[in-house]
Amino acid sequence: MKRLTIKKLIVISQIESRSLELPFKNGLNIILGGNKTGKSSIIKSIFTTLGCECKRIESDWKKLISYYLLFFKYGEKLFCIVRKGKRFQIFENTGDAYSCIIETEIFHEYSNCLMDILGIKMPCVSSKDGKQFNVTPPLLFRFQYIDQDEGWGKIADSFNNVAYIKDWKPNTNKYVCGYLDDTYYELQAQKAEYILKRDDKKKEFNYNQNFVSQITSTLTQFENIESVEDVITKIESLLIEAENLRKIQFSYSVDMSVLENDIYINQNKLNIVKHNVEETKKDIEFAMTQKDELVCPICGTIYSNRLEEQLNITSDYAHCEKLITELKNSISTTIEELKNLKEKYNIVSLKIQSIEQKISNSQELLSYSSFYKNKGQYEIYESCNLQLELLQQEINSYISKIAIIDDKINEKKSKERSKDIRENIKKYCRILADAINLPKTFIKLKDFVQIINRTGSETPRLVYMYQSALYLYNLYRANSPFNFFVIDTPNQQGQDAENLGSIFKSLELFLSDDGQVIVGTERETGLEQKANNVIRLTEKRRCLNNINYNEHLELLKKLQKSAANWVSANHKKFN
């Protein structure tokens, strides 16, 4: 049984030259820290790394953190996600090192790669342009998190980047509980494939049927056909035209390769210059705090730090800033040139396709003409009729296969199966309701999700009851990525003593090493001795430290080297 387990979170602040590493274990993990100790920011960082944009996160934390690193295990394989801004990288452990398997700033490219790792195939549709893509992390993991700020008033509504997806709530409600699972979507994909093949055979059938109708309707149709010599001359002319266009196409391809290489080289230059700007900025800030002489904090060498030297450093900084602007402009111009070339390349490609189709039609005409003249109309008629019979058999076969799949789909969507799943979820809801002193009469599911129709302190208890019950329900499903659960209790000002006591009491249900629960709280839960992992945060606004900063930078450096090799290899492959 494959399970998703979070192994470790590392956040790195290059601004402060500080970092933080938090290990996680199976079973119950407790993050204990008072208000403003960074507890919630750390918890949100888990989902930020996964690509889930929390609705509320402190702006200071977002500015502070340069890199997010999340290590997780799925099945027997270990992976690492690195996020910096909009750029995502995924690495797979290959023994004593990590190999990059993707680097991208395109969210859906990253998301599709992650879903492939998890074996998830749930197609979603954009409500903006109708494009189809695989389910995204904020949809897949929305039930795995109760956010301190947004999660206690509504069920599974802590992330921003979901609203552009059509029917995102009902579809993921059905998927996460296993009602419309991977098997359902595999059946739908197979059905779509069969429908496509059936329709192709229907088109071929109609084409042959029209041909037979033409033969039977008149004996003179071939009298109007061009002579064989004229058709051959026409084909030769089309071949020459296609060859000339291919030469132009090749020329465009070469020019595009040159431009893509220029973009790649300038992008690397830009990254180097940006890094130099950051280093120069640090030099300026350090020099401004020193007297006329400064001592290198690394090698101990004494340097002059008069105004002239400080101006020289500032001049270097200004030069780098100018160079960044020039490189960005150059990259932008080159990208525009590449776009124009691609448009020309596509136009030529379409012309070549059109010519090739004309050649194919002419060759087919020659073949039919020769067959007709040599064998006679009757033999053509008999051959085409036989072909029609074979095509009809294939069409009937696909119709039968589609009907069998429809039966399987209807079985997956049966009322009995829906009822069984609802009852299983309700069973766990009743267990949680007992643990948190909530009346069982409050349990009401719609679309497999608890209805929130209560106010006051009962609302957060309903949220907690349902999402906890869903976690326990999913815990023993085969190959499920839903066996981790993150709970961030409200801060002290928003904590209801009775609610909090009930939550702490119910944590006894989450001690199993088969799953993983991470709880963030300001107060002792009473289960610290039973928990597999307790992390204590004590300093306000100082959860980062410099203890392992250099070690983390070295790890990051190795990962970035692997990513650079992956980018280079894929760039060469693309060209």
Side-chain angles (χ1 to χ4, degrees):
M1 182 181 290
K2 287 186 178 180
R3 297 188 182 279
L4 192 156
T5 307
I6 297 169
K7 306 301 289 184
K8 180 167 58 178
L9 172 71
I10 298 175
V11 290
I12 299 174
S13 171
Q14 291 180 318
I15 297 173
E16 287 195 348
S17 297
R18 296 162 74 88
S19 63
L20 180 68
E21 177 177 330
L22 293 182
F24 296 102
K25 298 180 180 180
N26 287 13
L28 181 60
N29 297 259
I30 299 174
I31 302 176
L32 189 59
N35 195 24
K36 301 301 181 182
T37 56
K39 167 178 55 69
S40 294
S41 295
I42 290 167
I43 288 174
K44 291 175 192 287
S45 295
I46 294 172
F47 292 95
T48 297
T49 317
L50 287 168
C52 309
E53 306 300 341
C54 298
K55 288 186 174 180
R56 288 176 61 185
I57 186 167
E58 288 193 14
S59 58
D60 290 345
W61 181 262
K62 291 175 69 175
K63 294 175 184 176
L64 183 66
I65 303 303
S66 309
Y67 287 92
Y68 301 85
L69 288 75
L70 186 69
F71 295 80
F72 69 93
K73 189 175 183 181
Y74 191 61
E76 297 301 317
K77 294 184 177 181
L78 189 62
F79 299 90
C80 173
I81 299 174
V82 176
R83 180 173 183 182
K84 177 177 173 61
K86 292 184 178 180
R87 187 178 71 201
F88 291 89
Q89 300 166 327
I90 302 180
F91 302 84
E92 181 178 354
N93 183 270
T94 54
D96 57 349
Y98 280 87
S99 297
C100 182
I101 55 179
I102 191 171
E103 174 180 307
T104 182
E105 290 190 358
I106 300 173
F107 177 68
H108 285 289
E109 285 184 359
Y110 152 75
S111 176
N112 287 338
C113 182
L114 180 60
M115 295 308 130
D116 286 344
I117 291 171
L118 301 178
I120 302 294
K121 295 189 186 325
M122 177 193 163
C124 297
V125 177
S126 170
S127 57
K128 296 178 181 178
D129 53 20
K131 289 184 178 179
Q132 192 175 89
F133 44 84
N134 207 345
V135 65
T136 61
L139 282 182
L140 190 71
F141 298 128
R142 68 189 189 95
F143 289 99
Q144 311 314 119
Y145 180 39
I146 302 181
D147 179 26
Q148 180 191 81
D149 300 309
E150 300 288 338
W152 294 91
K154 294 181 180 179
I155 288 176
D157 194 27
S158 297
F159 304 132
N160 270 328
N161 48 335
V162 293
Y164 68 97
I165 298 172
K166 185 178 180 182
D167 298 328
W168 63 275
K169 276 190 179 180
N171 287 345
T172 50
N173 292 351
K174 295 181 178 75
Y175 182 85
V176 172
C177 72
Y179 176 59
L180 300 185
D181 55 10
D182 288 323
T183 303
Y184 169 81
Y185 287 106
E186 285 169 5
L187 288 170
Q188 289 283 23
Q190 194 174 39
K191 178 182 175 181
E193 181 183 350
Y194 285 155
I195 288 174
L196 189 63
K197 289 181 178 179
R198 179 202 64 189
D199 291 345
D200 285 342
K201 292 298 178 183
K202 280 185 175 181
K203 289 177 183 177
E204 190 177 348
F205 180 89
N206 292 334
Y207 176 82
N208 280 274
Q209 194 172 48
N210 289 335
F211 184 72
V212 169
S213 298
Q214 290 172 14
I215 292 176
T216 55
S217 64
T218 177
L219 298 175
T220 60
Q221 65 167 336
F222 284 106
E223 294 177 4
N224 300 322
I225 294 178
E226 299 172 277
S227 68
V228 172
E229 292 76 15
D230 289 342
V231 175
I232 291 173
T233 300
K234 181 179 179 181
I235 290 174
E236 290 174 348
S237 175
L238 289 170
L239 287 170
I240 292 171
E241 184 180 354
E243 182 61 27
N244 291 334
L245 286 172
R246 285 193 184 93
K247 290 178 181 178
I248 296 173
Q249 187 183 47
F250 178 76
S251 173
Y252 286 157
S253 179
V254 171
D255 291 343
M256 285 191 294
S257 295
V258 171
L259 290 176
E260 287 167 348
N261 191 54
D262 289 344
I263 292 170
Y264 177 73
I265 291 171
N266 283 338
Q267 190 64 54
N268 279 340
K269 288 180 180 179
L270 181 61
N271 291 336
I272 291 170
V273 175
K274 283 182 176 179
H275 178 72
N276 287 340
V277 166
E278 291 297 324
E279 294 302 316
T280 303
K281 185 178 178 181
K282 292 178 182 177
D283 288 345
I284 292 171
E285 291 173 352
F286 180 71
M288 294 300 289
T289 62
Q290 304 300 307
K291 297 180 180 180
D292 289 344
E293 289 186 347
L294 58 81
V295 179
C296 176
I298 297 173
C299 65
T301 304
I302 299 174
Y303 294 96
S304 175
N305 188 36
R306 294 173 300 174
L307 179 60
E308 181 181 351
E309 284 76 9
Q310 293 181 3
L311 289 174
N312 285 339
I313 299 175
T314 306
S315 175
D316 290 343
Y317 182 84
H319 176 71
C320 287
E321 289 284 357
K322 181 180 178 183
L323 188 54
I324 287 173
T325 302
E326 291 174 355
L327 285 170
K328 285 183 177 179
N329 291 338
S330 175
I331 291 170
S332 177
T333 302
T334 308
I335 289 173
E336 187 61 32
E337 291 177 12
L338 180 62
K339 179 183 176 183
N340 293 335
L341 266 179
K342 285 182 177 178
E343 289 177 357
K344 292 179 181 179
Y345 181 92
N346 291 335
I347 290 171
V348 172
S349 297
L350 290 173
K351 288 182 179 179
I352 292 173
Q353 289 175 15
S354 176
I355 290 171
E356 288 175 343
Q357 185 61 51
K358 290 178 182 177
I359 292 171
S360 176
N361 292 342
S362 297
Q363 290 172 336
E364 186 179 3
L365 183 61
L366 279 176
S367 175
Y368 280 139
S369 176
S370 175
F371 182 82
Y372 174 78
K373 290 177 180 177
N374 292 331
K375 297 293 183 181
Q377 177 179 332
Y378 182 75
E379 292 184 18
I380 295 177
Y381 175 81
E382 288 294 315
S383 175
C384 288
N385 264 337
L386 178 61
Q387 182 66 17
L388 286 175
E389 290 178 10
L390 294 174
L391 286 170
Q392 187 61 60
Q393 290 175 10
E394 290 187 72
I395 291 169
N396 291 340
S397 173
Y398 284 123
I399 291 173
S400 176
K401 289 177 180 178
I402 291 167
I404 292 171
I405 289 176
D406 277 334
D407 289 341
K408 292 180 179 179
I409 289 173
N410 290 333
E411 185 179 337
K412 296 288 288 182
K413 297 175 70 175
S414 69
K415 291 183 179 179
E416 292 78 9
R417 187 165 175 273
S418 172
K419 181 180 177 182
D420 287 344
I421 292 174
R422 281 199 307 273
E423 286 305 314
N424 280 327
I425 295 174
K426 284 182 178 180
K427 178 182 73 174
Y428 287 104
C429 285
R430 286 191 286 270
I431 293 172
L432 264 297
D434 281 337
I436 62 175
N437 300 319
L438 191 69
K440 296 185 184 70
T441 54
F442 288 5
I443 301 172
K444 293 181 181 179
L445 304 186
K446 180 180 180 182
D447 242 356
F448 306 100
V449 178
Q450 172 66 37
I451 297 172
I452 303 298
N453 57 359
R454 303 285 169 172
T455 59
S457 63
E458 292 170 348
T459 296
R461 285 198 287 167
L462 279 172
V463 171
Y464 176 76
M465 175 203 73
Y466 174 75
Q467 290 193 225
S468 299
L470 187 63
Y471 161 75
L472 293 174
Y473 163 79
N474 277 322
L475 195 55
Y476 300 104
R477 284 178 55 203
N479 299 338
S480 166
F482 308 120
N483 54 279
F484 79 99
F485 186 29
V486 181
I487 308 162
D488 192 6
T489 60
N491 59 36
Q492 194 158 349
Q493 291 85 348
Q495 287 179 357
D496 179 282
E498 183 180 352
N499 282 351
L500 200 57
S502 298
I503 290 172
F504 291 163
K505 179 183 175 183
S506 69
L507 294 180
E508 289 270 4
L509 298 169
F510 303 140
L511 296 175
S512 171
D513 288 350
D514 290 331
Q516 183 181 50
V517 176
I518 300 171
V519 178
T521 176
E522 293 185 11
R523 303 177 186 178
E524 295 274 350
T525 65
L527 286 174
E528 281 69 23
Q529 295 299 319
K530 293 184 179 181
N532 284 346
N533 187 26
V534 178
I535 300 166
R536 297 180 184 273
L537 305 174
T538 55
E539 295 187 43
K540 288 194 174 184
R541 301 188 181 277
R542 297 294 290 179
C543 63
L544 303 184
N545 57 65
N546 56 12
I547 298 172
N548 296 315
Y549 179 70
N550 290 331
E551 179 185 330
H552 292 156
L553 282 188
E554 187 62 29
L555 170 62
L556 182 63
K557 183 179 177 182
K558 290 179 181 179
L559 292 174
Q560 295 312 298
K561 183 178 180 180
S562 173
N565 291 338
W566 181 88
V567 171
S568 177
N570 278 269
H571 180 74
K572 290 176 181 177
K573 182 179 178 181
F574 177 77
N575 286 304

